[in-house]
Amino acid sequence: VLADIKKKGVLVVGSKADYRPFGYLDPAGKIVGLEPDLAADLAKRLGVKLELVPVVASNRIQFLQQGKIDIMIATTSDTPERRKIVDFIDPNYYASGTNVLAKKGAVASWAALKGKKVCLIQGAFYNKELQEKYGVEGVAFPGTAEAYAALKNGSCVGFAYDDTALAGEMLKPEWAGYEVPLDSILVTPWGMAVKQGEKGLADFVAKTSVAWHKSGFIQSLEKKW
């Protein structure tokens, strides 16, 4: 894959387009955010153009396996199960936990969600634990837009999602009457990933990730976004 990227002069990266501020659409319809900036730096180091492909939780790994993208940088939690099917890059570059967005005063504790309808995203790794350990009645949606709409219309008491995304969403005035009230659970590192066996590409991305940590590049993007 690394040879192909250099040959065609384009790096294709799978990125979120609905996850402010890590990957979302600007008013012109372009994917922007912290992760697209990471992807742009990879392309710059390779001396190639960058093509961003929008992905969601339910298709991002399949896109990587099918060769539709070269690298996945898409708010992806690095779990042992996922390491069996794609090659995650060490070191990881970020992390997130799971929290709940709800109307102010509606949710006091994780235990209080037992038996309650909670909006979820299809394919999220924490859905199983929320339903089995915390007893939530999950209502799963393919994308965040549907989940946020369901929360607003009262279909769910809360929307369980990555705390990083909820923090970004809370920057919008429309959520003034809502809160993220609980302590985050299931804090998990995020990893970039390549197709299994692509050692050349994996080594290049790993060296770049080390350089990002050493230089403070990721922190500078946090401040930017």
Side-chain angles (χ1 to χ4, degrees):
V1 168
L2 184 60
D4 289 342
I5 292 164
K6 289 176 177 175
K7 189 177 176 183
K8 67 186 177 186
V10 179
L11 173 68
V12 183
V13 176
S15 169
K16 288 286 186 74
D18 63 350
Y19 199 124
R20 182 184 300 263
F22 293 88
Y24 65 102
L25 297 178
D26 70 5
K30 182 186 175 190
I31 300 175
V32 297
L34 188 148
E35 291 182 329
D37 280 2
L38 294 179
D41 190 69
L42 286 172
K44 182 181 169 186
R45 288 167 185 262
L46 283 169
V48 298
K49 291 178 183 172
L50 173 65
E51 179 186 335
L52 292 171
V53 173
V55 297
V56 293
S58 56
N59 68 13
R60 58 193 168 187
I61 286 176
Q62 287 88 335
F63 273 32
L64 190 61
Q65 291 172 320
Q66 293 163 3
K68 291 179 180 176
I69 56 176
D70 302 318
I71 300 172
M72 178 175 67
I73 314 178
T75 70
T76 309
S77 297
D78 179 355
T79 65
E81 294 76 24
R82 287 172 174 167
R83 281 199 170 233
K84 292 174 186 172
I85 52 175
V86 294
D87 287 350
F88 275 92
I89 305 301
D90 294 311
N92 295 122
Y93 67 98
Y94 217 80
S96 70
T98 305
N99 214 309
V100 173
L101 176 66
K103 279 189 174 174
K104 285 182 178 175
V107 177
S109 67
W110 285 103
L113 290 172
K114 188 173 182 179
K116 301 276 178 66
K117 285 187 176 178
V118 174
C119 292
L120 304 171
I121 293 295
Q122 291 171 7
F125 81 95
Y126 44 76
N127 292 353
K128 186 178 178 187
E129 180 147 354
L130 288 176
Q131 292 174 104
E132 291 179 359
K133 185 176 177 181
Y134 294 94
V136 310
E137 188 181 328
V139 184
F141 295 92
T144 55
E146 298 95 326
Y148 287 127
L151 175 61
K152 283 178 180 172
N153 71 26
S155 299
C156 314
V157 69
F159 174 30
Y161 197 41
D162 298 356
D163 53 10
T164 42
L166 297 179
E169 198 67 19
M170 288 291 287
L171 298 172
K172 298 178 184 176
E174 66 192 85
W175 298 107
Y178 290 75
E179 62 180 352
V180 181
L182 307 179
D183 288 333
S184 293
I185 58 170
L186 305 170
V187 176
T188 312
W190 286 358
M192 296 178 281
V194 301
K195 197 174 178 179
Q196 279 188 325
E198 291 297 336
K199 191 175 184 311
L201 184 58
D203 287 349
F204 162 73
V205 180
K207 283 176 185 169
T208 304
S209 185
V210 170
W212 290 342
H213 284 293
K214 282 185 174 179
S215 68
F217 182 57
I218 297 168
Q219 285 92 331
S220 72
L221 293 182
E222 265 190 331
K223 290 187 177 74
K224 176 184 172 182
W225 293 104

